[in-house]
């Protein structure tokens, strides 16, 4: 694979960001009275439809990480945590797909790996790695989808690492849960710290920011239940003291400045000091499942070459069969490291062990 191959590939996470960028551009254009708002909206919808059409894996019940190839693109069925999470947070998924992704994604002992399964002969970094900021996005998606089991697992992944290492490292080795062994690492990493703080602001306190103000939708697993207070939170021209009581993902009551409120919302033009007290309904939301998987590494990719009318490749240790793709589509399954092909018809072949 070279830079040209990467250029033509179509990645889940990248397209999720492009989708959201167009949604934001649409909103800005509408605010400015710019006629291009409709163009941005149309492009966003096209990207959304393409993601769901080309990358959704019906059997696995989550998205593929990307399409790739030279002239005929094929789907790489690996799981990509950040892209999956962003697709949920940006509403590229519908609620049913969001719940399916969170419940069926392969999670490892020490957290959600950047990709799954791992790639052989690649040192731990993005491969065989857990990044707290990616874990944080995954936790936000789990909270949004209402999966208590997955959220507890994800919170534990962040708090275990920070508590054990006494700092917020950039990443850790998925196989060991240790910061030692990755290609590059840094402590007090800003995006890891931001992810840790976001668990308080955006999960336990449930803050959702918009141009109009802050909505509060706390999500607190039962094992994290109790009273939580965030004091002196600076929001525009206001200072907020926020308390969340109990556990669950449903609100029983809201008090703003000591008075009952019909919704947990603070307007963006508010000024001065204010208090928000939210009582949760103490409801369980652990009905959906979680897929805890071993930190599996795939076999190496065979390197085929053409010898006469035979496509041949070295035997791969541990391989029980080989899947041959022709022009991006499944072509043959063989037990031998070779296959007869029609050399008179140009085609692109790929082999997977």
């Amino acid at each position: 694979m070279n830079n040209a191959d990467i250029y033509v590939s179509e990645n889940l996470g990248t397209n999720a960001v492009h989708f959201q960028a167009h949604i934001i551009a649409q909103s800005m254009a509408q605010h400015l009275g710019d006629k291009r708002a409709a163009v941005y909206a149309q492009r966003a919808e096209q990207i959304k439809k393409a993601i769901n059409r080309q990358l959704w894996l019906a059997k696995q019940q989550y998205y593929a990480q990307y399409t790739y190839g030279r002239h005929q693109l094929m789907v790489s069925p690996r799981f990509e945590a950040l892209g999956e999470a962003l697709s949920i947070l940006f509403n590229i998924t519908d609620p049913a797909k969001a719940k399916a992704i969170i419940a069926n994604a392969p999670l490892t002992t020490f957290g959600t790996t950047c990709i799954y399964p791992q790639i052989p002969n690649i040192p731990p970094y993005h491969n065989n790695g857990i990044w707290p900021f990616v874990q944080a996005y995954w936790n936000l998606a789990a909270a949004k989808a209402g999966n208590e089991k997955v959220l507890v697992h994800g919170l534990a992944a962040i708090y275990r690492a920070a508590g054990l290492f006494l700092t917020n490292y950039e990443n850790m080795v998925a196989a060991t849960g240790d910061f030692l062994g990755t290609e590059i690492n840094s402590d007090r990493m800003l995006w890891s710290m931001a992810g840790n703080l976001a668990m308080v602001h955006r999960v336990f306190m449930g803050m959702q920011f918009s141009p109009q103000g802050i909505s509060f939708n706390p999500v607190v697993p039962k094992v994290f239940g109790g009273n939580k207070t965030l004091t002196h939170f600076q929001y525009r021209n206001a200072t907020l003291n926020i308390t969340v009581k109990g556990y669950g993902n449903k609100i029983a009551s809201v008090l703003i400045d000591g008075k009952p409120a019909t919704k947990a919302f603070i307007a963006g033009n508010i000024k001065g000091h204010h208090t928000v007290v939210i009582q949760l309904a103490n409801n369980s939301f652990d009905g959906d499942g979680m897929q805890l998987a071993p930190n599996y590494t795939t076999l190496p990719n065979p390197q085929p070459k053409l010898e006469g009318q035979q496509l041949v490749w070295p035997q791969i240790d541990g391989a029980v069969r080989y899947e041959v793709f022709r022009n991006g589509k499944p072509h043959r399954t063989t037990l031998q490291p070779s296959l007869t092909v029609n050399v008179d018809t140009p085609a692109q072949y790929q082999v997977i062990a």
Side-chain angles (χ1 to χ4, degrees), residues 190-236:
L190 290 180
W191 46 74
S192 297
M193 294 166 63
N196 197 324
L197 286 171
M199 298 303 94
V200 174
H201 293 164
R202 295 180 179 267
V203 178
F204 294 147
M205 299 295 155
M207 295 184 189
Q208 296 181 357
F209 299 91
S210 71
Q212 292 74 36
I214 307 178
S215 297
F216 297 89
N217 296 283
V219 181
V220 181
K222 186 175 182 178
V223 294
F224 287 92
N227 293 349
K228 298 172 180 60
T229 299
L230 180 64
T231 60
H232 305 293
F233 182 78
Q234 299 299 311
Y235 174 66
R236 298 186 184 181

Side-chain angles (χ1 to χ4, degrees), residues 271-289:
K271 297 180 180 180
H273 288 74
H274 300 275
T275 62
V276 179
V277 179
I278 299 172
Q279 174 64 57
L280 294 176
N282 291 336
N283 66 291
S284 173
F285 53 103
D286 67 348
D288 292 336

Side-chain angles (χ1 to χ4, degrees), residues 28-289:
M28 294 170 66
Q30 286 177 332
H31 184 74
L32 296 171
D34 191 321
K35 295 180 179 179
R36 288 175 293 181
V39 175
Y40 298 135
Q42 183 182 33
R43 288 177 183 170
E45 186 63 21
Q46 289 172 341
I47 295 170
K48 178 179 179 178
K49 287 181 178 179
I51 289 173
N52 283 287
R53 181 178 64 251
Q54 295 178 215
L55 295 178
W56 181 250
L57 301 173
K59 181 179 179 181
Q60 291 90 335
Q61 289 291 287
Y62 51 76
Y63 292 111
Q65 64 173 348
Y66 52 66
T67 61
Y68 71 109
R70 189 59 56 87
H71 302 293
Q72 306 288 338
L73 299 184
M74 61 181 287
V75 169
S76 170
R78 275 190 170 88
F79 165 83
E80 188 235 317
L82 184 57
E84 309 278 354
L86 293 180
S87 296
I88 293 171
L89 296 172
F90 295 160
N91 296 317
I92 293 169
T93 65
D94 58 33
K97 271 187 178 177
K99 291 176 75 68
I101 291 168
I102 296 298
N104 290 285
L107 309 180
T108 65
T109 300
F110 297 109
T112 308
T113 55
C114 289
I115 61 170
Y116 188 95
Q118 312 309 322
I119 304 171
N121 305 317
I122 301 293
Y125 191 56
H126 296 122
N127 185 63
N128 193 21
I130 296 170
W131 289 56
F133 97 87
V134 174
Q135 183 70 65
Y137 275 111
W138 179 254
N139 293 354
L140 293 176
K144 181 176 180 179
N147 190 312
E148 188 170 3
K149 295 185 183 75
V150 172
L151 179 57
V152 168
H153 177 268
L155 289 168
I158 287 180
Y159 292 145
R160 171 199 164 273
L164 186 61
F165 307 144
L166 301 181
T167 187
N168 291 275
Y169 272 107
E170 181 179 18
N171 47 51
M172 68 189 86
V173 180
T176 64
D178 199 342
F179 68 90
L180 293 173
T182 63
E183 286 291 273
I184 303 173
N185 216 329
S186 302
D187 67 345
R188 294 177 293 173
M189 179 54 65
L190 290 180
W191 46 74
S192 297
M193 294 166 63
N196 197 324
L197 286 171
M199 298 303 94
V200 174
H201 293 164
R202 295 180 179 267
V203 178
F204 294 147
M205 299 295 155
M207 295 184 189
Q208 296 181 357
F209 299 91
S210 71
Q212 292 74 36
I214 307 178
S215 297
F216 297 89
N217 296 283
V219 181
V220 181
K222 186 175 182 178
V223 294
F224 287 92
N227 293 349
K228 298 172 180 60
T229 299
L230 180 64
T231 60
H232 305 293
F233 182 78
Q234 299 299 311
Y235 174 66
R236 298 186 184 181
N237 295 316
T239 301
L240 307 178
N241 291 335
I242 308 157
T243 297
V244 174
K245 299 180 178 181
Y247 64 89
N249 63 351
K250 296 179 181 178
I251 294 175
S253 63
V254 182
L255 296 176
I256 297 179
D257 294 332
K259 298 179 181 179
T262 57
K263 58 182 179 179
F265 177 78
I266 292 291
N269 60 359
I270 198 170
K271 297 180 180 180
H273 288 74
H274 300 275
T275 62
V276 179
V277 179
I278 299 172
Q279 174 64 57
L280 294 176
N282 291 336
N283 66 291
S284 173
F285 53 103
D286 67 348
D288 292 336

Side-chain angles (χ1 to χ4, degrees), residues 293-314:
N295 190 38
Y296 174 69
T297 299
T298 58
L299 296 174
N301 284 333
Q303 301 297 313
K305 61 181 180 180
L306 189 63
E307 293 183 355
Q309 293 188 334
Q310 290 284 309
L311 193 66
V312 300
W313 55 90

